[in-house]
Amino acid sequence: MYLIISQLCLALTGATFPENVFEDILFYFLQGQRKRRITLGHKVRDFHKMTPFQLSLSGFPQEYYSDDEYDTLNKIKKLLGYSRGFNTTFFTKTSAISGIKHIMKPVFISFKTWKGEGLKSAPRGLALRVGGEIFVSDLPANHNSLKIILYFKSLNDMKAVDSLFRQKGFNEKKKYTLKTLDISWMSKCVFCGDFMKQRSERVRKSCTDPEELSRYCNNASYPLTGNRPHEWDSYITDVPICTCCRNSKERQGENRMNMLSRNGENFATPPSHFENSQEYHKLIARMYLKPDLSHIPKDIKLDWPTPLDYSLTYWDLTEPPSHGSGWFWHPDLSADEYMRYHQHKRNLSLEDVINEMDTRDPADSWMDSG
């Protein structure tokens, strides 16, 4: 079966399967009824159409929604695919100098519909506070939800379309706003930046609003819940880290200056006034004093293999001390230096606990009571 599917993939896309795609993706597709296997070829083709440059699109008014999921889907597809006005407004940019029109249509548009809210932040009418913001779920439990993801050929095309939606997304006549959100980071390793297609497929197919999912991946305490275990939600509720970077202190050290940092909107991108992550981390390095390691033995025994293992979460590595992080990785520290520094702090904490237990009066111990 795997050989047949591999040959089908090669014939349809001209590319071979990524590593572990059978265990991670196709195994689940093959567990359904036989009639679902007929569409496997289409799923394989869609899998290879995805690119690293992704925008979610939302904000369509209620008139586009109906009780029938397919009717809802067809209305949106017709607008995106065949409306000349829509394509001219949002997927065409005219040069102010030469007057040449540049077409930036997505190379692939993914549509996902489901009944109800799927994975959600709170029941209807219940307010939830996250990072100073309050979110209220006010949609009926049986409404049709729709997730649209636009995939682009290049980063420049994606940025240009994102800018056009921000400029022209408000419909004055019908009083609604089409909004885009850059969700590219959720499908790329947060260390090396490699595109993770298996992860991208789960983001695409999950019954989850991309904005909700993005907030959840940035908040360990954000209670995103749902009752759809077949959606593989356990794979998309944390920051994306490839296997190579997850288990390598060398790769984590090499990519320290490329790591993401949460901004004021609580999304995983450097603040908008920084051109890239390196500029941001260089500024942070100047703002905070580099830890002194002169008193820490170079041959100190390490309990953990990578800097990430020493941190509570990925975000704590880039969260400055002024924001309350006790695991901040100063940009001027190498991976080995960071691990030595926190191993030393860990050893001191353990020694304090042991000394406290040794000096404690037995009469004050709860173990001797009663």
Side-chain angles (χ1 to χ4, degrees), residues 166-299:
R166 293 177 186 274
Q167 296 172 20
K168 307 176 181 180
F170 178 66
N171 188 307
E172 180 67 32
K173 182 179 180 181
K174 298 184 178 180
K175 305 299 182 184
Y176 69 87
T177 303
L178 295 180
K179 299 187 300 181
T180 53
L181 175 66
D182 182 0
I183 60 170
S184 305
W185 77 272
M186 287 197 288
S187 299
K188 294 191 290 186
C189 176
V190 289
F191 280 104
C192 67
D194 283 354
F195 183 40
M196 303 166 63
K197 269 198 172 180
Q198 293 92 333
R199 165 89 174 208
S200 180
E201 174 71 5
R202 293 193 178 95
V203 171
R204 183 175 79 91
K205 299 296 289 184
S206 66
C207 297
T208 320
D209 177 75
E211 188 170 345
E212 292 286 303
L213 183 58
S214 184
R215 283 196 177 95
Y216 179 78
C217 290
N218 283 274
N219 293 273
S221 60
Y222 190 34
L224 190 70
T225 60
N227 55 2
R228 296 174 179 264
H230 62 279
E231 294 297 336
W232 321 317
D233 48 79
S234 61
Y235 289 88
I236 54 172
T237 54
D238 200 358
V239 292
I241 304 176
C242 69
T243 303
C244 294
C245 289
R246 178 61 186 85
N247 301 319
S248 171
K249 70 174 181 180
E250 290 78 16
R251 288 179 66 96
Q252 292 180 23
E254 291 171 1
N255 294 286
R256 169 61 185 88
M257 300 297 284
N258 298 323
M259 292 175 65
L260 300 180
S261 180
R262 291 183 291 194
N263 64 11
E265 295 179 348
N266 215 20
F267 291 112
T269 54
S272 58
H273 54 280
F274 293 102
E275 293 183 359
N276 53 54
S277 297
Q278 293 194 9
E279 181 186 346
Y280 170 74
H281 294 304
K282 287 178 181 177
L283 176 64
I284 292 295
R286 295 193 296 267
M287 291 175 59
Y288 296 94
L289 188 65
K290 178 182 177 181
D292 180 16
L293 277 69
S294 60
H295 61 289
I296 301 177
K298 292 186 177 181
D299 60 349

Side-chain angles (χ1 to χ4, degrees), residues 2 5-7 9 15-19 21-22 26 44 47-48:
Y2 180 70
I5 297 175
S6 298
Q7 293 173 341
C9 173
T16 57
F17 274 135
E19 185 180 359
V21 70
F22 182 79
L26 294 180
V44 171
F47 182 80
H48 278 274

Side-chain angles (χ1 to χ4, degrees), residues 295-359:
H295 61 289
I296 301 177
K298 292 186 177 181
D299 60 349
I300 187 173
K301 183 180 179 181
L302 302 175
D303 291 339
W304 308 105
T306 72
L308 184 60
D309 292 305
Y310 277 89
S311 175
L312 186 63
T313 68
Y314 171 87
W315 301 118
D316 285 303
L317 290 172
T318 56
E319 197 91 336
S322 60
H323 294 184
S325 173
W327 293 271
F328 174 61
W329 185 354
H330 193 282
D332 289 340
L333 290 179
S334 67
D336 280 313
E337 289 174 333
Y338 174 83
M339 293 163 65
R340 284 171 48 213
Y341 176 68
H342 280 275
Q343 182 65 54
H344 181 67
K345 289 177 60 177
R346 174 181 168 82
N347 291 348
L348 292 179
S349 298
L350 291 174
E351 289 176 7
D352 290 341
V353 172
I354 293 174
N355 291 335
E356 182 181 351
M357 294 179 65
D358 290 342
T359 58

